Amino acid sequence: MSDSTSSPRTPVVGVLALQGDYEAHARAIEHAGGLSREINRADQLAEIDGLIIPGGESSTMLKLIDYENLFDPLKAFGQSKPVFGTCAGAILIARDVINPSQASFDLMDIGVERNAYGRQRDSHIVPLQAEGLGELEAVFIRAPIIRRVGSEVKVLASHRGDAVLVTQGLHMAATFHPELTADSKVHRMFIERLKP
Amino acid sequence: MFGSLLQDEQFRLKVGLAEMLKGGVIMDVVNAQQAQIAERSGACAVMALVKVPSDIRKDGGVARMSPISVIREIMNTVSIPVMAKCRIGHFVEARVLEALGVDYIDESEVLTPADEENHVDKRDFKVPFVCGARNLGEALRRIGEGAAMIRTKGEAGSGNVVEAVRHMRTIQREMKALTMLRSDELMVAAKTHQAPFELIEWVSKNGKLPVPNFSAGGVATPADAALVMALGAETVFVGSGIFKSDEPEKFARAIVKATTYWKDAEKVLEASEELPDGMKGLDVSKIPLDELMATRGW
């Protein structure tokens, strides 16, 4: 599956499997040439090279993270390994969250507003141009908006004037759902980051 | 033609929200206070209805869409998606809920049907619909009408998981059987299941429904939730079980935990230990036929 830049080992990508569309991410990872693992216990983090926090309900995931004492292990993982958050995952990876405010891992210097486009009737699909990736189909479902972008954050794509795909150091965040399209180039970009 | 329904942008957005609810618990609530408890306990969405099914069963009379003021208050109180029920075939209740801006509509047999023949044509609504099904044919008829999520009907308000198990097993078995047929046998399958041919063909190729398949009706303990997940449900609806128990918040948390960790018996054990007794159940075979909810709609 992977292209000519052959690596010694296929990267293993964990997907936080507490709630949400983690199976869609697992399919996208495999399609992009990685190996996927469902992660819902702290001891499983040792087996993976990077972690995807999927779409779903960020408040629900936070409750489960809290009940199962996963907050500190997940944050510690993100301090040394790449993490990619989509939609709810982008909310969890942010420094600060509003509407309403809630805890987050503070792995990227972004401020995120939940449900910022409105309710389900305001969900939409649009084509976007992303730096280094070309055209993408972006599926926004009850999506958040990145309201603040720190100086270390690089914006790869914007929609209606707001950043929707960003990177900082090892990490990536998207407010849309690349896992819900047939195109796996966003996942390929993340997997490339996991190669030594 | 269903190929184009499934590719349609609106339909993809509807199914997309159902994807986001996977692995979670959707809780029935009758007011904002219950919605808040549900959200705090880890519900991934709440379902607004006028009374929980066990009270509808007990009180009798006509059960309709919830009062608008109650749904609006729920929407203003929680940040998770808000679903609301309309009566089977009541396309005006559905339009009212759409105008109100709910995130999902459940065209539900738990309320008193408004039409004993026809369901709502759900295709030209912007709001997504979930519908109940007892078997594959019923599921595909609802998808043909535009439903973006299917749930087993189970027997709501009974506290007895037996019907949800029957319906989930039936749907799974019927889908598996379709995958073994030759293409020239599919029209007969469409006739047998009384379902649209194109959807029969899709299931035969893919071995699953083209929309997420959730479970509802009679889930009363953490082990019940884990059981329906193990049988192929992708999310669990819990109705009367939570707010009819002595400690709703504890109960709700335990169901959420068992649903997430259904593959892990130790976690289901932990969830079960956190709980006092589940809801008192009914023997479904003792419910008079005309009081069964699952047989409403076809």
Side-chain angles (χ1 to χ4, degrees):
Chain A
M1 280 292 207
S2 61
D3 51 35
S4 56
T5 57
S6 62
S7 63
R9 185 173 73 77
T10 308
V12 182
V13 188
V15 187
L16 189 64
L18 293 173
Q19 190 274 319
D21 70 337
Y22 49 85
E23 286 175 353
H25 271 291
R27 280 194 297 275
I29 291 163
E30 304 277 335
H31 196 243
L35 289 173
S36 69
R37 292 271 184 284
E38 287 186 5
I39 302 296
N40 54 29
R41 302 172 78 124
D43 56 357
Q44 296 162 331
L45 291 168
E47 302 161 14
I48 57 174
D49 302 312
L51 179 71
I52 292 181
I53 306 179
E57 284 304 313
S58 62
S59 60
T60 303
M61 290 184 211
L62 267 179
K63 294 288 182 304
L64 284 155
I65 286 167
D66 181 36
Y67 298 164
E68 302 299 321
N69 299 313
L70 291 171
F71 194 90
D72 293 337
L74 287 169
K75 184 165 173 146
F77 180 88
Q79 284 163 343
S80 60
K81 299 272 182 64
V83 179
F84 174 26
T86 65
C87 196
I91 296 168
L92 291 177
I93 205 173
R95 173 157 300 167
D96 36 70
V97 179
I98 55 168
N99 189 33
S101 72
Q102 61 185 33
S104 56
F105 294 124
D106 187 11
L107 296 174
M108 291 181 76
D109 186 12
I110 53 176
V112 176
E113 179 183 350
R114 291 182 60 199
N115 299 328
Y117 293 98
R119 306 194 71 92
Q120 171 64 9
R121 63 180 170 198
D122 307 298
S123 293
H124 54 287
I125 300 178
V126 291
L128 286 182
Q129 286 296 325
E131 192 183 320
L133 294 172
E135 187 166 306
L136 294 178
E137 186 185 40
V139 181
F140 292 92
I141 295 174
R142 285 175 46 97
I145 289 181
I146 299 175
R147 293 291 184 199
R148 187 184 61 74
V149 177
S151 56
E152 304 291 303
V153 177
K154 189 171 171 198
V155 177
L156 299 185
S158 298
H159 167 51
R160 296 182 189 165
D162 299 303
V164 294
L165 178 63
V166 293
T167 64
Q168 181 183 359
L170 301 169
H171 307 310
M172 288 173 60
T175 57
F176 56 94
H177 294 281
E179 74 279 12
L180 294 185
T181 63
D183 182 351
S184 57
K185 58 189 163 200
V186 179
H187 286 80
R188 273 206 300 277
M189 181 184 232
F190 183 62
I191 289 172
E192 282 304 315
R193 294 170 162 254
L194 310 184
K195 293 181 178 171
Chain B
M1 82 190 184
F2 287 102
S4 60
L5 168 73
L6 301 178
Q7 295 307 314
D8 174 72
E9 190 169 306
Q10 269 313 323
F11 194 72
R12 287 178 60 204
L13 287 168
K14 293 172 177 178
V15 172
L17 180 55
E19 294 283 340
M20 297 310 138
L21 301 171
K22 282 186 175 176
V25 180
I26 300 165
M27 301 183 192
D28 278 357
V29 298
V30 301
N31 57 41
Q33 190 204 353
Q34 289 187 354
Q36 212 164 18
I37 293 173
E39 182 177 51
R40 203 160 61 213
S41 327
C44 66
V46 291
M47 171 75 73
L49 76 173
V50 63
K51 294 175 198 166
V52 294
S54 64
D55 285 339
I56 292 176
R57 199 175 277 293
K58 204 168 64 199
D59 300 351
V62 177
R64 311 181 182 90
M65 170 178 83
S66 292
I68 297 304
S69 59
V70 172
I71 303 173
R72 187 175 274 133
E73 199 191 343
I74 293 171
M75 290 166 64
N76 290 337
T77 302
V78 296
S79 66
I80 53 179
V82 175
M83 304 183 169
K85 286 187 194 287
C86 77
R87 285 178 269 175
I88 288 176
H90 206 316
F91 54 87
V92 175
E93 278 188 353
R95 285 293 179 200
V96 169
L97 292 172
E98 178 179 56
L100 181 61
V102 301
D103 297 296
Y104 241 95
I105 295 176
D106 184 359
E107 186 185 14
S108 176
E109 70 282 0
V110 166
L111 304 184
T112 311
D115 189 324
E116 292 186 337
E117 288 180 6
N118 306 292
H119 283 71
V120 174
D121 179 358
K122 296 165 269 288
R123 290 170 300 179
D124 68 334
F125 280 77
K126 195 156 188 222
V127 61
F129 281 76
V130 52
C131 287
R134 287 161 296 173
N135 52 49
L136 181 61
E138 193 171 14
L140 297 183
R141 289 192 291 277
R142 297 294 85 77
I143 298 167
E145 292 159 356
M149 181 200 299
I150 292 297
R151 56 171 174 74
T152 57
K153 284 183 168 174
E155 187 56 36
S158 68
N160 188 338
V161 79
V162 65
E163 294 302 307
V165 167
R166 189 194 319 281
H167 300 158
M168 188 53 76
R169 278 199 188 268
T170 302
I171 291 172
Q172 300 290 350
R173 186 175 57 240
E174 290 175 341
M175 290 195 296
K176 216 176 287 170
L178 280 190
T179 64
M180 294 185 290
L181 298 184
R182 287 161 47 109
S183 64
D184 56 8
E185 295 168 328
L186 293 177
M187 189 56 85
V188 174
K191 183 182 162 198
T192 311
H193 289 290
Q194 297 183 281
F197 175 76
E198 291 81 358
L199 289 175
I200 289 282
E201 196 175 31
W202 197 95
V203 173
S204 160
K205 275 192 192 127
N206 296 279
K208 60 184 183 98
L209 293 180
V211 304
N213 186 11
F214 293 5
S215 185
V219 170
T221 68
D224 285 352
L227 175 67
V228 293
M229 291 296 284
L231 289 173
E234 296 173 297
T235 287
V236 178
F237 283 87
V238 183
S240 320
I242 292 170
F243 292 102
K244 286 287 154 189
S245 71
D246 295 335
E247 294 179 83
E249 194 152 348
K250 241 174 151 175
F251 192 97
R253 277 177 59 157
I255 298 269
V256 168
K257 179 166 175 163
T259 302
T260 292
Y261 290 100
W262 62 271
K263 289 179 196 162
D264 186 338
E266 276 178 35
K267 295 277 188 189
V268 180
L269 166 68
E270 282 173 27
S272 307
E273 265 180 326
E274 285 161 15
L275 267 193
D277 292 336
M279 151 190 184
K280 188 174 166 0
L282 298 174
D283 180 347
V284 176
S285 64
K286 303 272 162 54
I287 301 174
L289 279 183
D290 61 346
E291 289 181 19
L292 285 176
M293 291 172 174
T295 52
R296 296 167 169 179
W298 62 283

